[in-house]
Amino acid sequence: MKIKKTLERIPGGMMVVPLLLAATINTLAPDLLRIGGFTEALFVDSANALIALFLLCTGAQINVKMFGVSLAKGATLLTTKWVVGAAVGLIAYLFAGDNGLWLGIAPIAVIAAMTNSNGGLYMALVGQYGGKDDRAAYSLLALNDGPFLTMVALVIFGTMGFVEGLFSPITFIAVLLPIIIGMILGNLDEDMRSFLDQGSAMLIPFFAFALGMGIDFQAIIEGGLGGIALGLMTVFITGTAGYMIFKALKWNPIVGAAEGSTAGNAVATPAAIAAANASFVSMVDIATVQVAASTVTTAILLPLYIAFLVKRLERKGFMFDNGALIKKGA
């Protein structure tokens, strides 16, 4: 059986499939794996520990040795994605209803999905339409993996008084520390970076399954349409913002649009946030499934949006040459 290859053909499959499988088990037979011992420790109670280890492994992939245009492009992509996602998230918090939802979407899901991006999808798109500088920018984009930038937004909102009861600096540091430790290890030793890189991929289906064991299908029903809407906003709001910023800077705008996605690892962000602050616990289930739905939606929709943008540029007389956007006849 080609289990791994089958999962990889599904958008976000390594995260989404184990998550939904566990949610099915939890809905139909919630006590099946709650039998104590190593079984329950691994498949039910392991989410926080595995996510922490995942963050350490992810931090090791952040390379601080970046210079020139690659750094500028990566910083621009990272900043645009975060500012736009955080702004929409703040709107969601300010206008959330009594049930804590905005347009049926959990505000924490908005920030988690819209400030995070699918690095593999970005690399696939810029591999076709971008240049070496655009691909090299990916190493800086690793900073938006996981809950780091989501927590930055929440800390700022709380400090400025826009949203009450969010994070103290200590709780922020407590979640950030594994990332910092991983980053130190990875930058001190390339072999450690390679070693930990294997862990970041391997851990995803295991903590996804553990997260799924805390989800009932009722939450998926409630969150499904909201998650699709979240995916649409991620593609068309953050993707278009990246396109316009890169166009204004006279860089290849397709590269800017290529950040309009949600990564599979963002599904773990609501649980990581709730582990640091219990006030988010009530929103974990619906936020998790909405981010998962956004992951699938953006993985399908973003390449179609990019294709539309490329055709639009070609109709205007532009062509792509080694990652550069050139006016025909110029």
Side-chain angles (χ1 to χ4, degrees):
M1 294 180 64
K2 302 294 184 180
I3 297 175
K4 183 173 181 290
K5 289 184 178 180
T6 300
L7 290 176
E8 289 173 342
R9 283 197 291 266
I10 300 170
M14 280 292 184
M15 170 65 80
V16 174
V17 172
L19 182 84
L20 296 181
L21 175 61
T24 302
I25 294 173
N26 190 55
T27 301
L28 301 179
D31 297 325
L32 182 65
L33 297 177
R34 291 180 169 88
I35 57 175
F38 293 135
T39 296
E40 187 167 350
L42 176 61
F43 295 114
V44 181
D45 299 330
S46 63
N48 286 344
L50 292 178
I51 290 171
L53 181 55
F54 170 78
L55 294 179
L56 189 149
C57 293
T58 299
Q61 309 316 309
I62 301 173
N63 191 340
V64 298
K65 297 177 181 178
M66 296 170 297
F67 302 95
V69 176
S70 295
L71 177 60
K73 289 185 175 181
T76 301
L77 284 168
L78 193 70
T79 302
T80 301
K81 181 79 169 172
W82 182 82
V83 169
V84 173
V88 177
L90 179 58
I91 292 171
Y93 268 111
L94 294 177
F95 294 98
D98 294 337
N99 61 355
L101 303 178
W102 172 69
L103 302 179
I105 308 172
I108 186 63
V110 173
I111 303 175
M114 295 187 72
T115 62
N116 187 294
S117 60
N118 187 328
L121 187 56
Y122 170 84
M123 289 299 287
L125 292 169
V126 300
Q128 183 173 358
Y129 299 110
K132 291 181 179 179
D133 290 337
D134 304 313
R135 293 191 289 273
Y138 172 69
S139 54
L140 186 61
L141 299 179
L143 284 170
N144 74 14
D145 285 349
F148 172 54
L149 292 184
T150 300
M151 291 192 70
V152 170
L154 294 175
V155 169
I156 292 173
F157 294 167
T159 302
M160 298 180 67
F162 289 124
V163 183
E164 297 296 330
L166 292 180
F167 288 95
S168 70
I170 296 299
T171 55
F172 175 63
I173 292 171
V175 173
L176 180 61
L177 197 55
I179 299 175
I180 294 175
I181 293 172
M183 187 166 62
I184 292 172
L185 290 172
N187 282 276
L188 288 177
D189 185 355
E190 287 290 338
D191 290 336
M192 283 299 296
R193 173 176 291 151
S194 299
F195 171 71
L196 292 171
D197 186 36
Q198 302 173 56
S200 61
M202 184 269 289
L203 289 167
I204 291 175
F206 293 97
F207 72 66
F209 190 94
L211 288 174
M213 285 301 295
I215 296 174
D216 189 283
F217 262 126
Q218 183 62 37
I220 296 177
I221 294 172
E222 293 173 356
L225 291 178
I228 294 172
L230 180 56
L232 291 171
M233 289 192 298
T234 300
V235 170
F236 292 117
I237 296 178
T238 67
T240 302
Y243 181 94
M244 298 305 295
I245 292 293
F246 265 53
K247 183 179 180 181
L249 293 171
K250 301 189 184 303
W251 290 334
N252 182 348
I254 297 301
V255 175
E259 270 285 88
S261 63
T262 300
N265 57 37
V267 178
T269 295
I273 298 298
N277 189 325
S279 65
F280 291 93
V281 169
S282 63
M283 286 291 162
V284 167
D285 286 3
I286 191 169
T288 298
V289 296
Q290 286 179 340
V291 175
S294 180
T295 298
V296 176
T297 301
T298 59
I300 295 171
L301 184 59
L302 182 60
L304 298 177
Y305 184 47
I306 292 294
F308 165 78
L309 293 173
V310 169
K311 291 294 183 184
R312 186 167 176 267
L313 287 169
E314 289 176 343
R315 285 197 297 270
K316 291 184 176 182
F318 289 94
M319 61 180 290
F320 295 90
D321 183 19
N322 292 324
L325 188 64
I326 301 172
K327 184 76 171 179
K328 292 180 181 178

